[in-house]
Amino acid sequence: MRIDHQQRWRFCFGASTPVSALVFALALVVVDRGRGEQGTADPPAPPPSAAESTAQAGEDPDDADAGLIELEGVARAIDLRFQGLVLRLYRLELTGDELRLRVGFQNATGLPIQAFGSLEPGLVWLEETAAGVPDMLACREVDPRLRTYLPEGGLAGGTAVVGELVFPRPPPEQRAWQLVIPGFEALEFSWQADDLQAPAAGLSTLKRHPVGLRVESTEEGLAGVPLDVEAIAIDGRRVVIELGFTNRSPNDLRLNEGGPNGSHLRLITAEGEVIEPVEVGDSLRQGIGPLGEPWRAWETHRGAVSFDLPNPPALGQGAMVFPGYPVIRWRHDRDTGSFTWLDADGGEMAAAPGPAAAGGDVLFNEIREWVEGMNRELRAGDAEALGRRAAPGSEAGIDLAVFLRGLQQVPATEPRWALPPRQELAVDPDGRLRGVELRFEHGLETIDADQSFVTSWRCDLVPRPADQGGGWHLDEIRYHGPPPFWVLGYTGFAQTPHFLLIYRPDTESEDKIHASGAQVERAYQILRQKKLALERRYVAFFVPFREDFQALTGRPAGHYSGAASAMRILDRDGQREVNRAMFINDHRFLVLQRALNLGDRQTTVTHELVHLALADWTRAQTPPWLVEGIAVVYADQLTPGTVRGLRQSGALGEVSLVSLMELGTVGDAGDPRMISAQYVFSGLAVEVLLQRFGADRVLGFYQAFGEIAHEDLVAGLEQVRRDHPDADDREQLRRLRLRLTVDLMPRHFDGLTLTQLDQLTRFQTGR
C-alpha cells in the first residue's frame, strides 16, 4: 500500500538558489578517520626523525624537538545544539616557541547542521594528562576560519571547516595533552620526538598539465552538455583548473540566467574542507554557455577557475564538485606532481575521447525525425501508416496493433512519443539498432493537464528496405515498467465529481461501477473533513485479476489490497510528477476476503487516497512506518479489534520502529501475521505523535523528508558508504533513512527520539 516514488532530479536554475545548498555537500573524499573511544589521537608509524637530523646539523638542542606529525583524532559534540558535529585533529606542528594544531569541525551527518558555533582564544586550552598536577596552556590564536566554525547558512553534510589553533610550546618532557573546546569531548593526543618529521615540500609547480577528462551530466536538463576537465596548473598555493562545456545535443540551446557557472565549482580536500574559487574567467562567470543568444550545436564554451589552498598537503587526495555533474576524485603525487583521476567508485578514469564523429548525432536526428513522423500519423489518426512502421511478420506489428486499437478507446489528450536525449545510438554490424528508448505520454480528459501518464518503451529497429522508402522498421517492443493500461483491456471509464474510474468493461457491471464511485467519493469526503489537502481530481483503477495488479503496480497481488503510485521524471521543462493513480486489487476482495479476513474495500480506498494526497512529499527516504502509519490512522484502521489482534498475535516482540526502518516497504515480511502487526504498530506510532503534537506538526515532519535537498541526500549516502563500505545500495538507503529520521524527529517533536517513540507505541497497544 506504499506510494511508489521513482526519484529523479534536475538542477535548479533559479537565481535565488543559495550556493551553500548546491552539490558542495558531496564530500566524497573525506578520509574515514579512526574514532578513538575517548577521542584519542594515535600517531602513525614513526617516520624519519626531523629532530635527529636537526641535532646532527649542530643546531641548539632546545630547537631539535621540532617538526610536525599527522594525527587522526576525533571527538564528538556533547552540546545538543551541535548534534552530528565532530571535532577532528589532523596535525601537530612544533615551530620555535609555538605548538600549532590543525583541527576541523566536520558535519558527520547527511543533513546540514543549522546552528551558530564560534571560537575565541579564551575558550580553548590544553590540559596535560600525564603529570600528577595538570598543567594548562591557553590558546594564543584562533584561525579566522575557525572563529565561526558553523557558517551562516549551515554546514553541509560531510564537509568541514578547518584551521589552526596556536598554543605556547610546552616543555620537552610534557607530550601527553588533551584539547578542550566547549561543547565537545576532550580530545587526547600525545607524541614522541621520534614521531616528528620535517614539513612536506609544497605543491609541485605545473605550468599546464593536460587532463582530458569528460563526464556527462547527471541531470536530464543538461543532457548532451558534457563537462570537460581540460587541464590543471599548480603554482605554490594556487590551483587553476581549465574547464570546457560543449553543446553536443542535436539542437541549439538557450540558458537561463541564474544557472550553473564557474563560481559554483568547488574543491574538497582530504580534510573535508570546501574550497571556493578566488577567480573565475570571464567566459564562465555568467554561465556554462552563452547567455542571451543561442548556444549552437557542437560549440564549446571554455574558461579557467582559480583556487587558493590554505593547506596544500591536503590536496594529496580530494574531489572536484560541480552542480549537475558527477563528482571527480583525484590522488596527487607530490614527488612527480602527477594526478590520478577517479570516479565515485574509486575506479581510475580514462582520458576523454576526442570530438565524436558526427555520425552518432546524425543517427540520433534521423531516429528523432522518424519518431516525429509517428506522431504526425498518430495526430492524423492514420493507423494504417503507423502499422507500416512495424517490420512485416514481426511481433512488434502485433504489439503495435494492440496498442493502437486500445488507445482508440481511451479519452487520451495530446498523445505523443518522445525520444529522450540521454542515450547513445549505434548500429550493430548486422544493421540492427537495439534498445532505443522511447517515451509515450498522454493526458486524460477531465483530469488536470499537468497530470500526465507515461510509459517507457525499449525498441529494436531494423533497416527498412530501400524499395519501401528506406528508414527504419520496428522489430521488437518491450515495455520498461508498467505497460499502457489499455493493452491489458482497461478501456472502461466512468466519472464522479472527484475521480475518473478506469476498469475492464468485460468484468464490471453498471451497479459495481456505481458502488465503486460511491466509495471513492466517500473516501474523498472523509479526508476532506480531516483537513487533508486534496487535488481537484484523481484517477482510480479497479483491477479484478492478480496478474493485472502486479503488472500495473509491480507489487505481488497476494500481499496488497491496493496501491498508490506516482513517478517523478525530468525533462527540459523541469521536474514533474506523472502516473499518479490508485489501484484497488479487487482480486483480494472478490476471492480472498473471507478466507483471509481482510478489511473492507472502503477502508482500502481511503487508505490509498491518503497516499495520493501525500504523494508530493513521499520519497524513498521517508520512513516506511510513517508512510503507512499515517494512512492507517487517517483511514480509521486502528480499531480495538486490530490493536487487540496485535497484542494476541505474539508478533509485538518482533516488531519495532527500527526494524520497520529496515524494510523496503511495510508488508515486505510476506507472513500475514507479521504484515498485520507491522501496519498496526506503524499506525499506533503515528497515533502517538498526533495525540501529543497535533496533525500540523506530524504532517510537517512527513513533509520534511520530501524537502531534503538532493545534494544533501547524496552527501548522506556517501557518508554511509564510507561508514559501511560493504553495504549494498538497498542497505545504504535504509541506513540513510534511519540517520535522517533520528536527526529530524527531535527537531519536530521537542526532542522526542525514535527509541522513546517506540516505547510510547508499546504503551499504546494497551489502550
Side-chain angles (χ1 to χ4, degrees):
M1 300 183 190
R2 186 180 67 90
I3 293 284
D4 182 21
H5 266 284
Q6 179 177 349
Q7 297 181 84
R8 304 182 187 176
W9 305 88
R10 108 183 239 277
F11 180 76
C12 179
F13 289 97
S16 62
T17 303
V19 171
S20 61
L22 294 175
V23 190
F24 316 147
L26 302 179
L28 304 182
V29 302
V30 179
V31 178
D32 186 13
R33 299 176 181 272
R35 290 175 177 257
E37 294 220 344
Q38 299 177 348
T40 303
D42 297 319
S49 170
E52 186 176 320
S53 59
T54 303
Q56 290 174 351
E59 295 186 6
D60 188 331
D62 290 340
D63 293 332
D65 193 4
L68 59 81
I69 178 173
E70 302 292 335
L71 298 171
E72 296 183 355
V74 63
R76 295 183 296 270
I78 55 178
D79 189 325
L80 291 179
R81 294 175 302 165
F82 306 142
Q83 185 177 9
L85 199 65
V86 296
L87 170 65
R88 292 192 180 276
L89 175 57
Y90 301 114
R91 189 179 68 211
L92 174 152
E93 184 173 5
L94 292 172
T95 58
D97 63 347
E98 293 180 341
L99 182 151
R100 309 177 73 92
L101 297 180
R102 184 166 179 82
V103 302
F105 295 89
Q106 184 189 10
N107 180 354
T109 75
L111 289 172
I113 293 179
Q114 303 283 351
F116 178 75
S118 63
L119 210 58
E120 298 293 337
L123 299 175
V124 183
W125 65 91
L126 295 178
E127 290 183 358
E128 189 193 9
T129 59
V133 179
D135 194 4
M136 297 179 64
L137 296 176
C139 182
R140 286 180 176 174
E141 181 183 341
V142 173
D143 193 307
R145 291 187 296 273
L146 297 178
R147 289 184 178 270
T148 304
Y149 58 82
L150 284 177
E152 184 178 355
L155 185 62
T159 62
V161 175
V162 182
E164 290 192 342
L165 303 174
V166 181
F167 300 87
R169 178 170 175 159
E173 68 276 7
Q174 295 180 344
R175 291 176 176 148
W177 295 84
Q178 61 182 11
L179 174 63
V180 179
I181 293 180
F184 292 84
E185 299 172 330
L187 201 162
E188 296 183 5
F189 64 96
S190 62
W191 75 94
Q192 300 295 326
D194 289 345
D195 296 333
L196 296 167
Q197 56 185 332
L203 292 174
S204 305
T205 297
L206 301 174
K207 293 304 181 186
R208 188 176 185 278
H209 177 63
V211 176
L213 287 179
R214 176 175 299 152
V215 292
E216 299 291 340
S217 176
T218 56
E219 309 292 346
E220 193 161 346
L222 291 172
V225 183
L227 182 158
D228 288 306
V229 183
E230 297 184 344
I232 185 169
I234 302 176
D235 187 3
R237 290 178 175 267
R238 175 65 63 96
V239 175
V240 181
I241 297 173
E242 297 179 21
L243 303 177
F245 297 87
T246 303
N247 175 14
R248 290 167 53 88
S249 66
N251 303 317
D252 293 349
L253 298 178
R254 286 187 179 272
L255 298 180
N256 299 328
E257 291 187 7
N261 60 66
S263 66
H264 294 150
L265 183 66
R266 296 292 185 269
L267 300 185
I268 305 179
T269 70
E271 297 171 337
E273 187 173 17
V274 180
I275 311 298
E276 299 186 8
V278 295
E279 184 178 348
V280 178
D282 291 341
S283 58
L284 293 180
R285 190 169 295 148
Q286 299 300 319
I288 62 175
L291 297 180
E293 59 183 81
W295 189 0
R296 304 299 182 188
W298 293 98
E299 180 179 288
T300 299
H301 204 63
R302 292 186 171 90
V305 183
S306 302
F307 300 83
D308 285 343
L309 297 179
N311 181 36
L315 196 67
Q317 57 183 337
M320 183 187 310
V321 181
F322 192 82
Y325 291 85
V327 174
I328 300 174
R329 305 167 68 183
W330 72 72
R331 288 195 300 266
H332 176 236
D333 189 322
R334 294 176 183 173
D335 296 331
T336 65
S338 64
F339 281 79
T340 302
W341 301 91
L342 310 170
D343 58 26
D345 297 323
E348 188 168 340
M349 298 176 67
D361 290 281
V362 169
L363 177 60
F364 185 92
N365 287 334
E366 181 182 340
I367 300 303
R368 186 180 59 178
E369 179 54 36
W370 182 82
V371 171
E372 286 305 313
M374 293 178 66
N375 285 330
R376 289 191 291 271
E377 293 160 0
L378 182 63
R379 289 192 295 269
D382 193 344
E384 184 177 346
L386 281 168
R388 288 197 296 269
R389 291 188 176 269
S394 67
E395 290 188 7
I398 300 173
D399 293 337
L400 188 59
V402 171
F403 174 86
L404 294 171
R405 187 165 54 249
L407 181 60
Q408 292 175 348
Q409 304 175 65
V410 175
T413 59
E414 299 186 16
R416 70 265 186 204
W417 283 279
L419 181 68
R422 292 197 63 190
Q423 52 183 313
E424 294 289 337
L425 302 180
V427 179
D428 286 353
D430 62 0
R432 191 178 187 88
L433 190 54
R434 300 180 187 274
V436 178
E437 179 185 358
L438 298 182
R439 180 185 291 168
F440 187 79
E441 182 169 356
H442 64 92
L444 288 170
E445 292 179 4
T446 77
I447 299 297
D448 291 346
D450 61 353
Q451 293 191 37
S452 295
F453 288 81
V454 173
T455 55
S456 182
W457 300 28
R458 297 293 187 274
C459 306
D460 288 356
L461 308 183
V462 295
R464 190 176 187 179
D467 60 2
Q468 298 180 24
W472 297 91
H473 269 144
L474 272 169
D475 190 57
E476 185 176 347
I477 298 172
R478 301 177 297 278
Y479 295 121
H480 190 69
F485 56 83
W486 55 87
V487 304
L488 298 179
Y490 289 82
T491 56
F493 302 87
Q495 302 282 346
T496 72
H498 300 101
F499 289 86
L500 173 64
L501 278 58
I502 303 179
Y503 57 93
R504 287 185 59 149
D506 57 342
T507 64
E508 302 293 330
S509 66
E510 185 175 341
D511 289 344
K512 288 170 64 179
I513 292 302
H514 179 77
S516 298
Q519 287 185 328
V520 293
E521 285 298 325
R522 174 166 172 72
Y524 195 95
Q525 296 306 321
I526 288 172
L527 297 184
R528 179 152 40 175
Q529 290 170 6
K530 295 183 178 183
K531 302 187 183 307
L532 199 62
L534 298 169
E535 299 283 346
R536 185 180 69 88
R537 291 181 65 77
Y538 292 101
V539 175
F541 287 83
F542 290 86
V543 186
F545 301 124
R546 60 185 304 158
E547 297 82 8
D548 290 356
F549 183 83
Q550 185 149 347
L552 291 169
T553 67
R555 293 170 173 79
H559 294 170
Y560 292 87
S561 298
S565 73
M567 181 175 73
R568 294 179 184 276
I569 66 170
L570 288 154
D571 54 26
R572 294 194 184 276
D573 296 327
Q575 182 182 172
R576 55 199 177 94
E577 191 174 76
V578 299
N579 296 357
R580 182 184 292 190
M582 74 163 68
F583 298 83
I584 303 303
N585 180 10
D586 275 341
H587 170 73
R588 296 264 287 178
F589 297 106
L590 300 177
V591 178
L592 302 176
Q593 183 171 7
R594 180 174 299 176
L596 296 180
N597 192 29
L598 298 177
D600 66 276
R601 193 175 188 235
Q602 177 65 66
T603 300
T604 297
V605 170
T606 308
H607 182 110
E608 301 308 330
L609 185 56
V610 175
H611 287 319
L612 285 185
L614 297 174
D616 280 345
W617 307 111
T618 308
R619 301 289 189 274
Q621 66 268 17
T622 310
W625 63 264
L626 181 61
V627 173
E628 291 303 336
I630 205 164
V632 165
V633 173
Y634 273 80
D636 296 323
Q637 291 175 285
L638 284 181
T639 66
T642 57
V643 176
R644 182 171 57 253
L646 172 62
R647 291 197 305 267
Q648 296 175 352
S649 68
L652 187 57
E654 304 174 46
V655 65
S656 69
L657 295 181
V658 171
S659 69
L660 291 172
M661 299 285 281
E662 296 174 355
L663 300 172
T665 62
V666 173
D668 279 354
D671 174 11
R673 178 183 68 95
M674 282 302 300
I675 291 175
S676 175
Q678 290 168 356
Y679 274 98
V680 175
F681 196 85
S682 298
L684 288 170
V686 171
E687 184 179 64
V688 169
L689 295 177
L690 287 168
Q691 290 173 349
R692 287 175 171 256
F693 303 102
D696 288 346
R697 291 177 67 176
V698 173
L699 292 173
F701 176 56
Y702 194 107
Q703 183 174 335
F705 289 92
E707 293 177 332
I708 299 172
H710 172 54
E711 56 269 17
D712 291 330
L713 288 174
V714 175
L717 278 173
E718 291 301 331
Q719 185 69 43
V720 170
R721 290 189 182 106
R722 289 193 294 273
D723 295 341
H724 305 280
D726 296 330
D728 59 22
D729 289 345
R730 300 184 86 178
E731 177 63 20
Q732 289 168 1
L733 175 60
R734 291 167 186 168
R735 290 183 179 276
L736 174 65
R737 184 191 290 149
L738 179 59
R739 290 187 180 188
L740 294 174
T741 305
V742 168
D743 183 76
L744 286 172
M745 273 200 63
R747 302 188 192 184
H748 286 263
F749 300 123
D750 300 339
L752 183 71
T753 67
L754 187 66
T755 300
Q756 291 169 337
L757 178 59
D758 189 279
Q759 294 170 345
L760 292 172
T761 302
R762 296 183 186 282
F763 290 137
Q764 195 79 350
T765 62
R767 70 180 177 91

